[in-house]
Amino acid sequence: MGFTRRQLTRAVTCSSFSAALVLGVCAPSARAEDPTPGPTPSIPDIATQYPTDNPTGLPTGQAPSLPGEKGPGDPGYSEPPDNIGDSEEPVEVDAKADGLRLAGGAKLAEPKVLDIKFVTEDLGGEERREDSTAKTKFTLQAEVLFPKNSAKLNSGAKARIKTIADEIDKQQSTEVNVFGFTDDLGSYEHGKTLSKKRATAVQTELSQRLGSEVSFNVRGYSEDYPVADNRTEEGRAKNRRVEVSFPKKD
């Protein structure tokens, strides 16, 4: 079917008008008076938008710097130790200096293991335990074992002595020292007699709990070998004591 010139012109005009309507829906038509397009807005800084006192908690963005992190001039900056004040450079040591050499014919001592000691004591100081690599020693004040000026064990003494016997048995010790001591009040001879009787009372209780293979060294030293000042009652109480010691198992 043929079209006349007028029909073709009308068809083109309608198509152009339809296209213009579609374009008008999608975007506004440009006009000569439109301002120059502005810059694309930037993504806001997360550290600014979500401030926090913990910079390590920021997931992304620029975290605030720590005090002194920017280097010299930054508040809070601290110089490295080698640059503080007027410190001098370390003196170089001459390994061949005479002062570092052994004298002619001298030799280094043989190496040895130091005897390290551990001490435990109850709050009142009535019982003390010392452990070293070689032995264990229990020290009991006389007041927790005996009445005043007596060598008879009181009601609470046997429980304390049992604890010591258990430790002797645990260490499998076969030789035990039991030494008694007094303060400097009264005569020396009276103190010697009393300290020996008290040591014997403790040894007797221990022997009843240990086997016959255990031997004892029992001594009474009176006021000899004080561990505190006898001029005060507190010191004298510490000097009135019974010590039980025994070697540790190899």
Side-chain angles (χ1 to χ4, degrees), residues 107-178:
K107 296 182 179 179
L108 292 174
E110 292 295 327
K112 63 179 181 179
V113 178
L114 297 178
D115 189 15
I116 301 175
K117 182 183 295 186
F118 298 91
V119 178
T120 56
E121 186 176 89
D122 59 15
L123 293 178
E126 299 172 341
E127 183 172 338
R128 177 186 178 95
R129 174 174 175 167
E130 300 177 26
D131 284 286
S132 68
T133 55
K135 70 177 183 179
T136 297
K137 182 172 74 173
F138 288 87
T139 302
L140 300 175
Q141 288 188 10
E143 278 74 4
V144 302
L145 298 174
F146 309 99
K148 184 177 181 180
N149 204 30
S150 171
K152 183 179 180 179
L153 293 172
N154 60 33
S155 58
K158 293 186 177 182
R160 292 179 181 270
I161 296 174
K162 179 183 182 301
T163 300
I164 299 175
D166 291 342
E167 188 64 26
I168 295 173
D169 186 58
K170 177 181 177 181
Q171 296 292 342
Q172 299 181 8
S173 299
T174 57
E175 185 176 0
V176 179
N177 297 327
V178 185

Side-chain angles (χ1 to χ4, degrees), residues 182-194 222-223:
T182 63
D183 57 27
D184 64 350
L185 299 181
S187 68
Y188 180 84
E189 290 303 323
H190 173 71
K192 197 172 185 68
T193 300
L194 179 61
S222 188
E223 63 193 58

Side-chain angles (χ1 to χ4, degrees), residues 218-235:
V218 182
R219 302 284 188 275
Y221 288 102
S222 188
E223 63 193 58
D224 295 338
Y225 310 108
V227 295
D229 190 349
N230 271 315
R231 292 176 295 180
T232 66
E233 176 53 33
E234 181 182 0

Side-chain angles (χ1 to χ4, degrees), residues 62-82:
Q62 181 182 1
S65 61
L66 299 175
E69 188 179 38
K70 297 180 180 178
D74 185 16
Y77 174 76
S78 178
E79 293 184 356
D82 292 340

Side-chain angles (χ1 to χ4, degrees), residues 15-63:
S15 299
S16 299
F17 181 75
S18 298
L21 289 176
V22 173
L23 290 175
V25 173
C26 296
S29 59
R31 294 179 296 175
E33 65 267 25
D34 283 349
T36 303
T40 303
S42 61
I43 299 175
D45 186 357
I46 293 180
T48 304
Q49 187 174 359
Y50 305 102
T52 177
D53 293 332
N54 181 11
T56 62
L58 294 176
T60 57
Q62 181 182 1

